[in-house]
Amino acid sequence: MNSFNALAPGASFHEGEIPARYTQDNNVLGVVSYIPDDQYSPSTDLPHLQVQIPSEQRITLSEIWRSATNVTRGHWESIDFSHDGELLFGSISYDIDDGLIHANQTEKNFRNIFRLINEHGYPHLFRMWSYIPGLNQDNSDNVEIYKDFCFGRSVAFSAEFSRSLAQVLPAATGIGSCARKVAVYFLAKRTADLIHIENPIQIPAYKYPPQYGVRAPSFARATYVPFGNDEYRMYLSGTASVVGHSSHHPDSIEKQCETTLLNIQRLIDADNLKHYGIQHPVKLSDLDMIKVYIRHRSDFAAVQSICSAFFRPGTSVIYLHADICRKELLIELEGIFSGSRSAN
């Protein structure tokens, strides 16, 4: 199937536990539930990942991914997955050893993800999410857990792909969680028509200097995907108050929020997009399915005030209480741009 004929996956947020109709719907690719504690049991009928990250109201919030066609579901090496002929959705949660050493388990499980998508014919990753317990703590080797996770992820990518990292690294998010297991979910495609995009005012994450870890983070700032009906999706990675490679405004939630939003504006600037061969505009009003991760519960009101003036009315957005990849960062934001490829 040509990707230009395949319809884009649908995504929506749902408040509360998932109704049974979703678990019985053959068009549902998967569900991710953000839960306030570990008491919520996910359905076993489809890929359903639970991530222990509380919302402001401490209620369950779920993200539902749908295909335009019926899906086939499966399970392999702890990975739950579904696919529809053009897209594959997968999720996995895995334990870490008692010393909180992430690198080996992360490398193993990411290599299993790569094996799965290759064996099923969906070798092109375009979006990944990773939720990591104790993100900013040190493990028994006195290495920050996020840096240790990045080491294992980077080794897996380097072992799998011989091409330049700029050609293969997808949009991604790496955020803390309150759970005991690492939770990962991902989207991959059959056809290789992805465009991985960087920000002109940020150094690519995979080129960060060693102060951010022995192996740098492995992600692009966004991934652009064309679909049928002349549509596109551009998946925005978790974005924070980073300029160049440095964190900015460590003591101001307001300024961090504003810098994060500025980074998004620079990413979708017409000149930057044209550099990647994207000729049509991508507008802020096209941004939807937004997740905002906030380190301190006391900052929710300030962040919501700034973001509500930035996002268009009616935008789907949820606010979650979670650690960010650097201790000094207070907010991270992600979302999905969507629209027409023939728009002027």
Side-chain angles (χ1 to χ4, degrees), residues 220-235:
R221 300 296 178 186
T223 296
Y224 177 97
V225 188
F227 285 104
N229 287 347
D230 205 35
E231 291 187 338
Y232 78 90
R233 297 291 185 271
M234 194 166 90
Y235 297 86

Side-chain angles (χ1 to χ4, degrees), residues 136-240:
N136 301 132
Q137 299 174 15
D138 286 350
N139 63 21
S140 58
D141 286 343
N142 295 317
V143 176
E144 186 185 49
I145 285 173
Y146 179 64
K147 293 178 180 177
D148 193 32
F149 168 86
C150 286
F151 187 98
R153 177 175 61 174
S154 175
V155 170
F157 268 104
S158 296
E160 177 67 24
F161 298 102
S162 59
R163 291 175 290 161
S164 164
L165 290 178
Q167 296 178 294
V168 298
L169 291 181
T173 295
I175 285 290
S177 80
C178 306
R180 292 182 291 271
K181 294 183 176 183
V182 176
V184 177
Y185 70 108
F186 55 92
L187 290 162
K189 289 181 83 271
R190 188 175 297 281
T191 49
D193 48 10
L194 313 176
I195 303 174
H196 304 300
I197 300 170
E198 296 298 329
N199 193 316
I201 61 173
Q202 294 179 304
I203 292 173
Y206 56 87
K207 293 184 178 180
Y208 279 174
Q211 69 199 71
Y212 302 106
V214 176
R215 302 288 291 251
S218 305
F219 65 91
R221 300 296 178 186
T223 296
Y224 177 97
V225 188
F227 285 104
N229 287 347
D230 205 35
E231 291 187 338
Y232 78 90
R233 297 291 185 271
M234 194 166 90
Y235 297 86
L236 174 68
S237 293
T239 304

Side-chain angles (χ1 to χ4, degrees), residues 6 13 15 18-19 31 63 66 98 102 133 212 220 222 230 243 251 255 262 323:
F13 293 130
E15 186 175 303
I18 297 298
V31 175
E63 180 181 312
R66 296 176 59 87
D98 292 339
H102 279 245
Y212 302 106
D230 205 35
V243 179
D251 300 319
K255 289 183 179 178
L262 174 63
D323 288 338

Side-chain angles (χ1 to χ4, degrees), residues 56-57 294 299-309 319:
E56 182 182 23
Q57 296 81 18
I294 304 169
D299 288 334
F300 268 70
V303 172
Q304 289 172 333
S305 176
I306 294 170
C307 287
S308 63
Y319 297 86

Side-chain angles (χ1 to χ4, degrees), residues 2 120 342:
N2 187 299
H120 283 79
S342 59

Side-chain angles (χ1 to χ4, degrees), residues 27 35 54 60 67 77 79-80 112 132 140 148 182 195 202 215 220 224 241 244 283 311 328 339:
N27 290 83
I35 60 175
T60 295
S67 169
E77 289 288 344
I79 304 172
D80 294 317
N112 279 342
I132 306 156
S140 58
D148 193 32
V182 176
I195 303 174
Q202 294 179 304
R215 302 288 291 251
Y224 177 97
S241 181
K283 301 173 290 187
F311 304 140
E328 68 274 15

